């Protein structure tokens, strides 16, 4: 085979590989997970930069397959390190919901057959179950409930509902306020005000966050959807969520 033919075949191979990569949908947060895992493993001091880049590229390729098969895992320490590195880039109260979203919804292997919503909702207290139909109505079509539970992370209790559509992931996270917690006292400006309710927003990496507060709760919609769509979901859900929480808190909505 001539050198010219070899060059043509190599170029054809590169073109096919490039086309295959472009056709492959990258799972949400895959890059962030890989980078966190790489940071958690010290690299040999003598690696050249080109070797590190090549290795990272191979890891991304292999991890894409591993992710699809449900084998990508990080240690608890590396998960916590990644969560801290991401959440420290948003305002303090925005971190509250984002931490739980990543910890519970992003770092999770989902079963092939999700239990029915009625079965999932048995894992949360009855007074919070009315949140589920509110967020379901507000969420874009074809999202389905995959998580409904009460959990605890880094000393704080949460009510967490998560919905998926393909590789898209959206969480409704509700946390009770600690003493003195308020977006007002944090001097955070609302992104917009809907029916007298200030709504706050933030973004970091692929995470879009929309939030509001009731008298006793902090409420978040967090997803990897575009910012506009994430806020529209919160706008649609906020009145109903506020009403449910007002009944729970013993006051008017």
């Amino acid at each position: 085979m001539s050198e010219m033919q070899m060059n043509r075949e190599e170029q054809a191979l590169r073109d096919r590989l490039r086309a295959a990569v472009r056709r492959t949908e990258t799972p949400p947060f895959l890059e962030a997970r890989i980078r966190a895992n790489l940071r958690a493993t010290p690299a040999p001091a003598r690696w050249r930069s080109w070797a590190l880049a090549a290795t990272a590229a191979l890891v991304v390729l292999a991890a894409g397959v591993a992710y699809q098969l449900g084998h990508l895992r990080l240690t608890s320490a590396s998960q916590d390190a990644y969560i801290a590195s991401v959440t420290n880039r948003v305002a303090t109260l925005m971190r509250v919901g984002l931490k739980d979203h990543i910890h519970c919804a992003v770092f999770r292997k989902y079963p092939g057959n999700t239990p029915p919503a009625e079965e999932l909702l048995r894992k949360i207290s009855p007074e919070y179950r009315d949140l589920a139909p509110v967020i379901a109505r507000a969420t874009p079509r074809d999202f389905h409930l995959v998580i409904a539970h009460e959990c605890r992370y880094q000393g704080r209790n949460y009510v967490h509902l998560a919905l998926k559509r393909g590789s898209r992931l959206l969480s409704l996270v509700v946390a009770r306020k600690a003493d003195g917690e308020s977006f007002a006292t944090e001097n955070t400006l609302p992104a917009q005000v809907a029916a007298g309710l200030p709504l706050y927003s933030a973004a970091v990496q692929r995470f879009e966050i929309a939030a509001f507060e009731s008298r006793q709760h902090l409420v978040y919609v967090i997803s990897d959807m575009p910012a506009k769509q994430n806020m529209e979901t919160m706008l649609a859900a906020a009145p109903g969520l506020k009403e449910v929480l007002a009944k729970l808190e013993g006051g008017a909505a």
Side-chain angles (χ1 to χ4, degrees), residues 46-59:
R46 294 185 179 180
W47 276 17
R48 295 181 183 274
S49 58
W50 65 267
L52 181 58
T55 302
L58 291 173
V59 170

Side-chain angles (χ1 to χ4, degrees), residues 28-29 101-102 104-106 110 132 134-141 143-148 160-173 207-210 220-226 229-234 237 241:
F29 325 126
H101 171 71
I102 301 175
C104 279
V106 175
Y110 292 92
V134 175
I135 192 62
R137 288 192 297 268
T139 303
R141 191 177 62 179
F143 275 81
H144 65 281
L145 190 69
V146 291
I147 295 174
H160 187 174
L161 306 177
L163 302 94
K164 286 191 83 208
R165 181 183 66 191
S167 63
R168 295 292 189 188
L169 182 61
L170 178 146
S171 285
L172 170 67
V173 179
F207 303 106
E208 294 291 340
I209 312 166
Y220 305 85
V221 169
I222 306 168
S223 77
D224 63 320
M225 299 188 300
Q229 195 171 21
N230 192 74
M231 180 56 79
E232 286 173 348
T233 301
M234 174 58 95
L241 299 175

Side-chain angles (χ1 to χ4, degrees), residues 142-217:
D142 297 333
F143 275 81
H144 65 281
L145 190 69
V146 291
I147 295 174
H149 66 198
E150 295 180 48
C151 53
R152 185 175 179 83
Y153 182 61
Q154 294 187 343
R156 188 185 285 266
N157 295 324
Y158 296 91
V159 176
H160 187 174
L161 306 177
L163 302 94
K164 286 191 83 208
R165 181 183 66 191
S167 63
R168 295 292 189 188
L169 182 61
L170 178 146
S171 285
L172 170 67
V173 179
V174 179
R176 281 194 172 268
K177 290 181 178 177
D179 290 343
E181 283 187 333
S182 171
F183 285 105
T185 57
E186 198 178 63
N187 296 320
T188 304
L189 296 176
Q192 55 184 290
V193 178
L197 181 66
L199 301 177
Y200 303 87
S201 68
V204 57
Q205 293 189 0
R206 292 192 182 186
F207 303 106
E208 294 291 340
I209 312 166
F212 75 88
E213 62 183 306
S214 67
R215 186 156 50 89
Q216 297 176 6
H217 293 84

Side-chain angles (χ1 to χ4, degrees), residues 1-2 10 12 29 35 37 45 70 88 100 113 160 173 177-178 187 210 217 235-236 252:
M1 182 182 297
S2 70
E10 288 176 1
F29 325 126
R35 290 184 182 279
N37 208 15
N88 285 343
D100 190 61
N113 296 317
H160 187 174
V173 179
K177 290 181 178 177
N187 296 320
H217 293 84
L235 283 167

